[in-house]
Amino acid sequence: MGLFDLLRKNKELEQMYDLDLIDSTSERIQQKKLAVQTCVDFIGRTISQSEFRIRKDKKTVKDEMYYKLNVRPNQNQSAAIFWQTVIHKLIHDTECLIIKSDTDDLLIADDYNRIEYGLVEDLFKDVTINNFTFQRTFPMSEVIFIEYSNVNLSRLIDTVYDDYGELIGRLLEFQKHKNQIRATVDVSTTVRKDEDGQNPLQKFIDKLYGSIKTKAFAIVPQQQGFKYEEHSKGAVGSGQSVEDVTKATNDFMNQVAKALGIPPSLIHGEMADVEKQTRNFMFFCIDPIIEKISDELNNKFIEKKDYLNGENLEVVRPSYRDIFDLATAIDKIIATGVMNGDEMRDKFKLPETGEEIHSRYVMTKNYSEVVESNEESQER
């Protein structure tokens, strides 16, 4: 091969690459993000419905802290959006830093540097929120720092994430190739091979036959010297179906859901044993995260002596069962003297009545002690 032949061959290869035959990997990345984001959103939406209560002397205290945690943590976010953002950062970054500004607003840090010590409290420097970076240093005692150490999830994201992404990407590329409409246009005239000669012709062809691609019913006037012909079989060809892409995506989503403690059937909206699956979701996924949050809030907002005297901050997660479905169970709990009326109302986020009848513990005759029953029978 001569030098000019080699240069001409390279020029033809460059023109081939200009035809955009190489697709980007954005589709496969979005498929992977969809699986992770769906599970994280599922947890975030659930916890954002929780109520943060400050309990003192067995009563809920509604003060400024209660308002900040349940209504408006800062000027730009509602409580639901705030806690949903906390869950997103907690799971994605395995930790979340919340600071208190000079105006007593609770702010979620986007970036920071943590300086760890062995015998004294850690420090947080270069705390950045949006485009603002604090110049001051925050000690651990002045911030809310929640950690989420999920080894299974981190390992899954680092290993299986790429494998499933490659598989999903290959399936998507195969579907594009199998269902692609391939056509040729025969030109009877002689056109130069360089870019200046091909561009006008390509623009003319795109304009003339563009309606074939964009319209369901197209009439294209044929001209002498141009012949349009399709060579693909469309969806008739054999191979993997589109369902395989869905199966691969769902399989990866199932792996992520299991690592987070979410029953996969809930993610897919299956209705079989939904109450049992929801109970498992609350117990194995939501409750551990809520426990981490409540421990940190109690540590930073409640003094040690006050906590030991009964004052605490509790997170009441949303109930997945209707109060009317539990009417029989409520009656049994009150009838056995386990709870009084106000305590039962508190479990369902209802305000205490303050009435004496709701503050007393009652027990029906059927639940009398055995000793009392024996004494009555001896008297008779």
Side-chain angles (χ1 to χ4, degrees), residues 299-357:
N299 182 29
K300 300 303 169 62
F301 288 143
I302 307 298
E303 296 289 339
K304 179 180 178 180
K305 58 182 181 61
D306 295 330
Y307 184 84
L308 295 177
N309 290 330
E311 182 178 351
N312 70 310
L313 192 153
E314 64 178 13
V315 183
V316 182
R317 59 172 171 78
S319 176
Y320 61 92
R321 301 186 67 180
D322 190 84
I323 185 174
F324 298 103
D325 296 333
L326 302 173
T328 303
I330 294 173
D331 177 68
K332 289 295 182 183
I333 293 175
I334 295 179
T336 55
V338 176
M339 290 184 177
N340 59 30
D342 280 337
E343 290 174 340
M344 185 58 67
R345 290 175 61 87
D346 183 68
K347 290 296 182 181
F348 291 97
K349 300 182 180 180
L350 298 175
E352 298 179 359
T353 62
E355 299 292 336
E356 182 183 357
I357 188 174

Side-chain angles (χ1 to χ4, degrees), residues 144-361:
I144 301 172
F145 187 68
I146 309 170
E147 295 182 274
Y148 181 75
S149 300
N150 191 328
V151 179
N152 293 331
L153 179 62
S154 301
R155 188 178 304 167
L156 176 71
I157 298 300
D158 294 339
T159 57
V160 185
Y161 195 82
D162 293 332
D163 296 337
Y164 272 92
E166 183 68 22
L167 174 61
I168 295 172
R170 290 294 182 89
L171 290 174
L172 288 173
E173 290 176 0
F174 181 82
Q175 289 300 319
K176 289 181 179 180
H177 181 268
K178 186 183 72 171
N179 296 296
Q180 183 187 43
I181 298 178
R182 292 177 287 274
T184 58
V185 176
D186 294 336
V187 183
S188 60
T189 59
T190 302
V191 182
R192 290 185 303 168
K193 302 294 185 180
D194 58 1
E195 185 175 354
D196 295 334
Q198 289 188 355
N199 281 343
L201 177 62
Q202 186 64 47
K203 290 180 180 179
F204 176 74
I205 294 174
D206 292 341
K207 183 178 180 180
L208 186 61
Y209 297 104
S211 59
I212 298 177
K213 179 177 62 175
T214 59
K215 298 180 180 179
F217 182 79
I219 299 177
V220 179
Q222 293 288 351
Q223 296 188 13
Q224 186 177 2
F226 289 85
K227 180 183 178 182
Y228 177 84
E229 183 180 1
E230 293 187 2
H231 303 279
S232 60
K233 297 292 185 179
V236 180
S238 61
Q240 304 294 326
S241 64
V242 181
E243 295 179 356
D244 292 323
V245 180
T246 304
K247 290 179 181 178
T249 305
N250 289 342
D251 192 27
F252 177 68
M253 187 179 297
N254 292 343
Q255 298 294 332
V256 176
K258 291 178 181 178
L260 290 171
I262 307 175
S265 59
L266 289 181
I267 293 293
H268 300 300
E270 299 177 7
M271 300 304 296
D273 295 330
V274 64
E275 183 176 340
K276 179 180 178 182
Q277 299 298 333
T278 304
R279 183 169 60 251
N280 292 338
F281 167 62
M282 291 293 184
F283 184 78
F284 293 108
C285 178
I286 299 300
D287 287 348
I289 298 178
I290 287 180
E291 186 68 22
K292 295 177 184 293
I293 297 175
S294 62
D295 287 347
E296 182 66 10
L297 294 179
N298 275 291
N299 182 29
K300 300 303 169 62
F301 288 143
I302 307 298
E303 296 289 339
K304 179 180 178 180
K305 58 182 181 61
D306 295 330
Y307 184 84
L308 295 177
N309 290 330
E311 182 178 351
N312 70 310
L313 192 153
E314 64 178 13
V315 183
V316 182
R317 59 172 171 78
S319 176
Y320 61 92
R321 301 186 67 180
D322 190 84
I323 185 174
F324 298 103
D325 296 333
L326 302 173
T328 303
I330 294 173
D331 177 68
K332 289 295 182 183
I333 293 175
I334 295 179
T336 55
V338 176
M339 290 184 177
N340 59 30
D342 280 337
E343 290 174 340
M344 185 58 67
R345 290 175 61 87
D346 183 68
K347 290 296 182 181
F348 291 97
K349 300 182 180 180
L350 298 175
E352 298 179 359
T353 62
E355 299 292 336
E356 182 183 357
I357 188 174
H358 288 154
S359 63
R360 291 184 300 176
Y361 293 90

Side-chain angles (χ1 to χ4, degrees), residues 89-121:
K89 293 191 67 66
L90 186 61
I91 296 178
H92 280 294
D93 303 338
T94 69
E95 59 187 27
C96 180
L97 175 66
I98 304 173
I99 66 169
K100 194 174 183 180
S101 67
D102 296 335
T103 57
D104 291 337
D105 285 344
L106 299 179
L107 305 173
I108 303 173
D110 296 321
D111 192 19
Y112 52 87
N113 292 323
R114 180 184 180 184
I115 304 176
E116 301 185 42
Y117 297 100
L119 301 178
V120 296
E121 60 180 337

